[in-house]
Structure formats: C-alpha cells, structure tokens
Amino acid sequence: MVKKQGKALFSIVFLISVLLASFFPVAGSNNVSFAASSYDYILIFPRDRYPETGAHIKDAIAAGQSDVCTIERDGTRERREESLRGYPPKKGYDRDEWPMAMCLEGGRGADIRYINPSDNRGAGSWVGNKLSKYADGTRVKFIVK
C-alpha cells in the first residue's frame, strides 16, 4: 500500500513539474531562451541575415574561442583596443572580433576577421538590440544558424 502511494505521489510531482516547465521555456524573445547553468540564455544568431559575421563566429568557436558571452559593458573600449592591436584598418573592411569586446571573454586573444562593413555593423546592431535588456554578468550562449 505504501509503495503504491509513493509511486502515485511521484507521478503527480513529475506531472506538475512537466506542466510548470512548459510555462517557462522562453525568456525575452523568440531568439533567446532559458538555458543551463554554464550560461543564462541562448541567442540564435541568424547567419542568413549576416553571413560573414555568422561564418566568423562559427569558425572562431570551432577554433576554440568561447561560445558564451558574459556581458560586461564597462571595459568594452579597452578590450576592443586589446583585441584589434596588430590588426590595422583596411580600406573597405571592418575588423570583426570574436568574442565581442562587450564580453568579458573578449579582448586580448580574440579572433579577428576583416569583413564587409554592412554585414558587421548590421550584426552588431542586431546583437546589441537583443542583449540590451540583459544586465552585466548575464552569460549568453551564441548558436549560429
């Protein structure tokens, strides 16, 4: 009898957990969702809209750069200077950096690629808009699709 009650209680708790979880899958927008403990959110980066930036992010992550951006707006200018040191400007190109300078993971050792300015600036604006609502310290996992 006690064994049956235990199974029934477990089933009820499990069902309630599943139902509650179905109410909280999305946090923010259709591109950002709640995630596991090594990051707070997932951002799906649209490679079809920003192909050069998307390819750079994907390649940099594959080469060992972090796929998580810990937002830290203070220090962005300094990290950008560190990451771009040794990569002079080229006429007709922007210098794209991964991880981005707004991330604690950015700065010295970031992967740099020369890309089309409209792709880079559009992607930067898109990411900035998506992340504007998140506080410093928020960890965002980037997935390029």
Side-chain angles (χ1 to χ4, degrees):
M1 177 81 171
V2 172
K3 200 172 190 180
K4 284 185 180 182
Q5 287 176 338
K7 285 182 179 181
L9 181 60
F10 174 80
S11 297
I12 291 169
V13 170
F14 178 76
L15 181 59
I16 290 170
S17 299
V18 170
L19 288 172
L20 285 174
S22 70
F23 287 106
F24 301 104
V26 175
S29 77
N30 61 348
N31 290 72
V32 182
S33 61
F34 184 72
S37 62
S38 64
Y39 47 87
D40 303 304
Y41 298 96
I42 294 174
L43 181 69
I44 305 298
F45 184 87
R47 187 174 181 176
D48 59 332
R49 287 179 65 182
Y50 309 106
E52 290 185 48
T53 303
H56 181 214
I57 294 169
K58 195 169 188 90
D59 293 347
I61 291 170
Q65 294 289 345
S66 179
D67 61 350
V68 173
C69 166
T70 305
I71 299 171
E72 182 57 52
R73 292 170 182 92
D74 288 341
T76 295
R77 188 176 61 87
E78 293 84 1
R79 285 189 294 275
R80 179 165 290 117
E81 287 175 6
E82 286 177 7
S83 68
L84 298 179
R85 191 171 294 132
Y87 293 88
K90 285 187 180 180
K91 187 174 179 161
Y93 294 93
D94 274 2
R95 295 169 291 173
D96 186 41
E97 58 199 285
W98 187 264
M100 302 173 295
M102 74 173 288
C103 308
L104 280 176
E105 296 80 6
R108 186 179 316 147
D111 191 275
I112 308 300
R113 185 175 290 179
Y114 293 95
I115 65 171
N116 178 295
S118 64
D119 189 286
N120 185 47
R121 294 171 195 179
S125 177
W126 185 88
V127 168
N129 183 46
K130 292 293 183 184
L131 300 184
S132 66
K133 60 186 156 215
Y134 298 113
D136 288 351
T138 303
R139 297 161 304 171
V140 180
K141 180 179 175 84
F142 277 70
I143 299 175
V144 178
K145 287 196 179 183

